[in-house]
Amino acid sequence: GKDAAFEGRGKLPQRPMTPLAEEMKKKGVTFLPDGRDFLPFEICGRLRPGVYELPGNVSSQYFSGLMFALPLLKGDSEIRVKGKMESVGYIALTQQMLSDFGVQVEETEYGFRVPGNQRYQATDISVEGDYSQAAFWLAAAACGSELKITGLRSDSVQGDREAADIIERFGAEVIREYPDLIVRAPEKYGEGSGLGLKALEADSGNIPDVIPVLSVAAACAEGTSRFYNASRLRIKECDRLSAMADCLTRLGVTAEEKEGFFNNLSEDLPLYVSVDKDVLCKGDASTTWSQGDMHLSELMSFLELVLERQNILGMDVCGECDMDSSSEDFLNDHANEAILRLWEKMQKSSERMGSE
């Protein structure tokens, strides 16, 4: 029931919050000034228990936030899902963490029941590795390396755990020796004209955050890869669906975006064959824009590594973004030199953008 002020910077204020704000307003919370529901804003009033209805295809963070708050209220509450629930792995991870701290949220036919009058209980906990960040290194290894990634749980409920299965479907070898994952590029890497990866189709609904790096792996695969149920990528730090198509197109990959559908077309050729070196030497074609999105900065840094391996001119990654140095923890001490160079370039790129 305390008053609070929320601020944001970069692309965060542009993230949609209206569905959650509207439900909170119905339950006793006032947004200032004048009902504003985007950052910055202030809130006052006390949240009341009751029935909350939220769309399942916008943001799982709406559900996680309520799951943290509603157990502390004086009465029971219900969260009803409108439409299809996406990013179910993030919801499951929230439920798991709440349970670890003594708070229960029950699944129902229509969503979730949250008993009130609960209290969080202190406990010791080991934070598991992040499959979303691990996906970057999984894809990088699949495009011509061998890498061991440590600290991952075999029983994780993280939705992004599926990235390992998708990398395996691309044709890379994935050895599961938890808490380690060992990833090796296809045996025919370097033979003929390709990287040994093969195209695939994948549902993006529960794994939106790993689609940028998987799109680079798709650009390196022979054939046409499709990522569907991807419309939520439009409401990330930028319109990530459109930005991915733009970034790949600038570098010679034929990429097509459609509503809810991303079609990565390489015309049956791997990326480095379809890239035109002359095009890369000209003006904006050699510069890609991260649009303030960390995942796009990672995507283009990864793609630069692929281009370097084929002795194709590199590129500059421009635009402000925030990059968490904790990603370095996923880098194995014995990773090959190419991956180490990639990490160093990502760090320098982040530092350069932060100083602009």
Side-chain angles (χ1 to χ4, degrees):
K2 294 183 178 180
D3 297 350
F6 295 87
E7 299 179 352
R9 61 184 178 85
K11 297 289 185 177
L12 184 61
Q14 299 177 23
R15 298 284 298 268
M17 296 184 62
T18 300
L20 176 60
E22 289 301 316
E23 290 300 297
M24 294 177 65
K25 291 174 186 177
K26 296 176 185 177
K27 300 298 189 296
V29 176
T30 300
F31 285 72
L32 301 172
D34 301 326
R36 184 173 184 163
D37 55 13
F38 57 91
L39 295 175
F41 57 70
E42 297 180 10
I43 63 171
C44 59
R46 180 182 292 275
L47 198 64
R48 298 192 300 264
V51 177
Y52 293 76
E53 295 185 346
L54 293 169
N57 63 347
V58 179
S59 175
S60 62
Q61 294 175 3
Y62 298 162
F63 294 86
S64 292
L66 287 176
M67 286 179 178
F68 276 106
L70 296 181
L72 302 178
L73 304 185
K74 298 299 183 182
D76 297 349
S77 297
E78 183 180 355
I79 305 175
R80 293 181 180 175
V81 181
K82 295 189 294 184
K84 180 182 178 180
M85 185 75 231
E86 297 185 359
S87 290
V88 292
Y90 297 123
I91 299 295
L93 194 61
T94 299
Q95 290 179 270
Q96 182 185 72
M97 188 60 62
L98 290 171
S99 178
D100 289 341
F101 284 88
V103 171
Q104 301 302 315
V105 173
E106 306 164 4
E107 292 191 35
T108 68
E109 181 180 357
Y110 303 104
F112 307 91
R113 178 180 176 274
V114 186
N117 297 298
Q118 299 189 66
R119 291 294 178 267
Y120 289 94
Q121 302 170 10
T123 187
D124 294 328
I125 193 168
S126 176
V127 179
E128 64 177 283
D130 186 349
Y131 274 92
S132 180
Q133 288 296 321
F136 178 86
W137 307 110
L138 289 168
C143 290
S145 306
E146 178 175 335
L147 191 67
K148 178 190 287 185
I149 304 171
T150 65
L152 300 172
R153 284 178 52 167
S154 61
D155 60 346
S156 176
V157 297
Q158 295 182 54
D160 291 337
R161 178 184 173 186
E162 186 182 345
D165 297 330
I166 294 176
I167 290 298
E168 194 169 37
R169 288 173 51 206
F170 269 124
E173 181 181 7
V174 179
I175 302 173
R176 297 165 175 81
E177 297 179 348
Y178 291 104
D180 301 338
L181 278 181
I182 300 171
V183 186
R184 298 190 182 116
E187 290 186 3
K188 64 176 181 178
Y189 167 71
E191 298 180 7
S193 61
L195 295 179
L197 301 179
K198 55 188 177 182
L200 52 72
E201 293 190 359
D203 189 339
S204 308
N206 290 321
I207 54 170
D209 288 341
V210 299
I211 295 303
V213 293
L214 292 179
S215 73
V216 178
C220 299
E222 297 186 34
T224 300
S225 292
R226 296 181 176 88
F227 300 98
Y228 54 93
N229 288 336
S231 59
R232 278 193 308 136
L233 288 166
R234 296 195 186 281
I235 55 173
K236 297 294 184 177
E237 282 73 6
C238 67
D239 182 344
R240 199 173 286 168
L241 192 66
S242 177
M244 285 192 303
D246 176 66
C247 288
L248 293 172
T249 300
R250 285 171 180 262
L251 293 170
V253 179
T254 304
E256 179 186 5
E257 56 163 318
K258 296 182 180 179
E259 186 60 34
F261 189 77
F262 181 70
N263 187 9
N264 190 2
L265 302 172
S266 58
E267 299 178 343
D268 296 322
L269 295 174
L271 173 64
Y272 69 87
V273 173
S274 62
V275 168
D276 186 335
K277 295 183 181 181
D278 293 332
V279 171
L280 285 174
C281 294
K282 295 178 181 178
D284 290 341
S286 64
T287 302
T288 59
W289 297 92
S290 68
Q291 302 193 34
D293 190 320
M294 180 189 73
H295 289 281
L296 287 179
S297 180
E298 289 181 338
L299 179 156
M300 302 317 299
S301 297
F302 174 17
L303 191 50
E304 181 181 15
L305 172 65
V306 176
L307 297 177
E308 273 198 354
R309 282 178 175 161
Q310 307 304 329
N311 296 316
I312 295 176
L313 181 65
M315 59 196 171
D316 293 324
V317 181
C318 301
E320 179 185 355
C321 74
D322 297 319
M323 187 172 295
D324 189 346
S325 61
S326 64
S327 302
E328 188 174 13
D329 294 339
F330 290 102
L331 191 59
N332 184 266
D333 291 340
H334 303 290
N336 64 56
E337 184 180 354
I339 297 291
L340 289 171
R341 288 203 314 272
L342 171 60
W343 172 251
E344 291 170 358
K345 288 184 178 183
M346 289 173 63
Q347 289 291 75
K348 290 179 181 178
S349 174
S350 179
E351 292 170 1
R352 183 178 69 252
M353 288 185 284
S355 64
E356 293 178 350

